[in-house]
Amino acid sequence: MVRWLSSALLAVASTLLFTPVVQAADLESVLAGQANLTTFRGLVKNHTDIFANLPQGITIAAPNDNAFMKLGNWETYNESMVVATLKYHILKQTIDMPSIKKGDSIWASTSLTDEKFSTVTGGQRLILTKQPGGEVVFTSGFATRGTVLVEDLKFDNGLVQVIDSVMRVPETLDSTARSAYHDLTAFVGALYATDLMSELARQKDVTIFAPRNAAFQQLAGTFENMDKEKLKRILRYHIVPGNLTHVWELKNASSLASADNGNKLTITRHTNYIFVNAAEIIQADILISNGLVHMIDNVLSPDLSDSRPDVTLTTAQPPVFTPTGATATGTTVPTPFASNLPCTVSCPVTQPTAAPTATGAGGDGQGAKSSNAGVAPARCTGLAGAGVGIGLAVGAMMAVL
Ligand SMILES: *[C@@H]1O[C@H](CO)[C@@H](O)[C@H](O)[C@H]1NC(C)=O
Ligand SMILES: *[C@@H]1O[C@H](CO)[C@@H](O)[C@H](O)[C@H]1NC(C)=O
Ligand SMILES: *[C@@H]1O[C@H](CO)[C@@H](O)[C@H](O)[C@H]1NC(C)=O
Ligand SMILES: *[C@@H]1O[C@H](CO)[C@@H](O)[C@H](O)[C@H]1NC(C)=O
Ligand SMILES: *[C@@H]1O[C@H](CO)[C@@H](O)[C@H](O)[C@H]1NC(C)=O
């Protein structure tokens, strides 16, 4: 008994001795203690409206000086964009990096709740992914990713994570497709052709399964003279309003209610592959102002909601529509509905690398040039940021070859 007591006391004593005393520190002094955070420190000082009365239990993603330099056009951000961007760097929870498992992705709500920028319930989101090597990557709008360079700096209200890119506030589907995901222009054009863009803009917390351009090219003949109402119904079947679901939250055999009167979409998971009905998700978790987009390799049919993938296929899943007429794919083949995209300041939109985000809120027009933005496949640090990671991306490529 005595021996037990003394060893217990010893344990308590050593805990007291060896637990470092955690000193409260204000944000400014924590930032000042790090090299290369001059720009962010200046922004914190200049925006007491945002940083003076921070709530408890938060995480601040602090881009370093090189991140602002890399962005290339920070000087052109007006005050409302600066404020939105800063709020997008404040996560509403305290998230320490060791708590994320290797290979896992999680999402975090941010303080960006202004409806001009985001209608995602609880605030626009960032995705945090821990790579197999252990580093954590933040993913934001326009496929912009930042790696955590200095982890878990403690301050009065939570933690600071120093990152190497400025997170970009997600914008509309249109703006995102034009400046970073050119493979979605047929889908976006089709939404315009059927006057569905304004309907989509009003929806919150959307999950969109957006077929890539080649899927529309394959069915060019089928869509050529399709009745507008019929096409509208097909497109609505690709949109799930009010149920923002990241790819890792899509459970096998679960279903989601689409904007086609709740007509169901069914998820199938097989090894590293994820399908919605019989279409494969080839790029996941593209953040937009009112939710997110998963890019798929086939157009879905609302009349064939019971279609499922043939998981034994080593090639891509065939289209569920019967192709008629033109079915060729590739960059030299015209993209259906591309001409329905409204013209922006630098038409024609058929030269996507030059297309600015003129219709978007941010409109910095540098998406394609940004070291982080771009069409799939993502940079190496970004692959897992898509949630499904290498397995899916490689699988998709193999299927195409
Ligand atoms: C700060 O930036 C300089 C120049 O890019 C670099 O050489 C230095 O290693 C950085 N310091 C830290 C602590 O990251
Ligand atoms: C902070 O405000 C001052 C005065 O308006 C300005 O000169 C400075 O560039 C601002 N700093 C940052 C990082 O925005
Ligand atoms: C996924 O769901 C399908 C359909 O219910 C089922 O046949 C299959 O075995 C499930 N796969 C896994 C990995 O659970
Ligand atoms: C929302 O999505 C989840 C995850 O895929 C699914 O399980 C659930 O049934 C969906 N709810 C509705 C109403 O569609
Ligand atoms: C700020 O810039 C954005 C994008 O460039 C623009 O949409 C918005 O109207 C501007 N806001 C103000 C107040 O000038």
Side-chain angles (χ1 to χ4, degrees):
M1 180 61 176
V2 171
R3 203 193 293 164
W4 179 85
L5 237 189
S6 57
S7 63
L9 278 176
L10 197 67
V12 170
S14 60
T15 311
L16 288 175
L17 276 174
F18 296 112
T19 303
V21 181
V22 180
Q23 207 93 56
D26 61 59
L27 182 58
E28 161 58 19
S29 57
V30 169
L31 297 177
Q34 296 295 312
N36 301 339
L37 290 183
T38 315
T39 308
F40 191 68
R41 273 177 71 197
L43 288 164
V44 170
K45 269 200 191 125
N46 283 4
H47 291 87
T48 46
D49 48 331
I50 303 173
F51 292 100
N53 291 303
L54 290 170
Q56 281 300 319
I58 60 168
T59 303
I60 292 184
N64 67 6
D65 293 337
N66 192 46
F68 285 96
M69 227 140 72
K70 216 166 65 172
L71 189 64
N73 66 341
W74 178 249
E75 305 68 35
T76 68
Y77 277 45
N78 60 28
E79 186 55 19
S80 78
M81 273 304 291
V82 168
V83 167
T85 303
L86 291 175
K87 288 184 171 172
Y88 192 43
H89 285 73
I90 303 173
L91 286 58
K92 287 178 164 175
Q93 302 154 262
T94 305
I95 305 176
D96 63 289
M97 300 300 101
S99 69
I100 309 171
K101 283 202 235 107
K102 280 183 185 174
D104 275 6
S105 291
I106 60 169
W107 56 265
S109 296
T110 70
S111 306
L112 180 57
T113 52
D114 181 347
E115 295 226 339
K116 276 211 302 277
F117 293 95
S118 162
T119 58
V120 170
T121 301
Q124 184 52 281
R125 297 177 179 186
L126 282 167
I127 295 171
L128 282 68
T129 302
K130 184 169 270 184
Q131 306 284 71
E135 68 276 28
V136 177
V137 174
F138 281 52
T139 301
S140 64
F142 300 97
T144 303
R145 298 176 174 89
T147 302
V148 176
L149 300 175
V150 186
E151 286 187 7
D152 295 346
L153 297 167
K154 200 164 166 35
F155 80 110
D156 289 341
N157 307 68
L159 295 171
V160 174
Q161 315 291 348
V162 178
I163 54 175
D164 69 356
S165 292
V166 177
M167 297 290 92
R168 289 189 58 197
V169 172
E171 294 178 14
T172 59
L173 173 63
D174 175 311
S175 161
T176 302
R178 286 182 202 247
S179 66
Y181 288 94
H182 308 139
D183 218 5
L184 294 178
T185 44
F187 181 68
V188 174
L191 290 171
Y192 276 113
T194 49
D195 308 318
L196 279 173
M197 246 345 190
S198 53
E199 178 178 310
L200 175 62
R202 285 192 302 273
Q203 288 166 340
K204 300 179 179 181
D205 299 325
V206 291
T207 301
I208 301 172
F209 297 96
R212 64 171 166 201
N213 288 353
F216 283 96
Q217 286 177 329
Q218 256 186 314
L219 298 173
T222 313
F223 287 133
E224 197 164 11
N225 294 309
M226 190 178 273
D227 171 72
K228 188 166 153 183
E229 287 308 307
K230 195 169 173 190
L231 180 58
K232 210 169 188 169
R233 186 166 166 245
I234 292 171
L235 295 170
R236 280 194 177 121
Y237 188 50
H238 292 74
I239 299 168
V240 178
N243 196 351
L244 202 166
T245 313
H246 292 270
V247 74
W248 61 90
E249 298 170 322
L250 294 169
K251 301 272 182 287
N252 189 44
S254 68
S255 29
L256 297 103
S258 75
D260 175 39
N261 278 322
N263 195 1
K264 292 270 190 277
L265 296 160
T266 302
I267 302 300
T268 299
R269 300 191 76 119
H270 178 74
T271 62
N272 280 334
Y273 299 87
I274 305 175
F275 303 88
V276 55
N277 292 353
E280 187 189 331
I281 297 179
I282 51 173
Q283 178 110 36
D285 287 297
I286 300 164
L287 298 172
I288 57 172
S289 50
N290 56 343
L292 58 78
V293 178
H294 301 308
M295 195 192 297
I296 57 177
D297 70 347
N298 266 314
V299 181
L300 306 167
S301 167
D303 295 319
L304 297 169
S305 60
D306 57 351
S307 57
R308 297 289 178 271
D310 175 356
V311 295
T312 63
L313 280 184
T314 53
T315 55
Q317 301 293 318
V320 292
F321 289 90
T322 313
T324 56
T327 60
T329 60
T331 49
T332 57
V333 178
T335 303
F337 307 114
S339 61
N340 295 102
L341 282 175
C343 226
T344 64
V345 280
S346 78
C347 285
V349 291
T350 45
Q351 287 168 337
T353 46
T357 60
T359 55
D364 62 33
Q366 56 93 62
K369 274 178 282 160
S370 150
S371 61
N372 284 314
V375 188
R379 299 188 327 156
C380 63
T381 59
L383 267 176
V388 244
I390 295 157
L392 252 189
V394 172
M397 277 182 238
M398 274 167 34
V400 170
L401 299 171

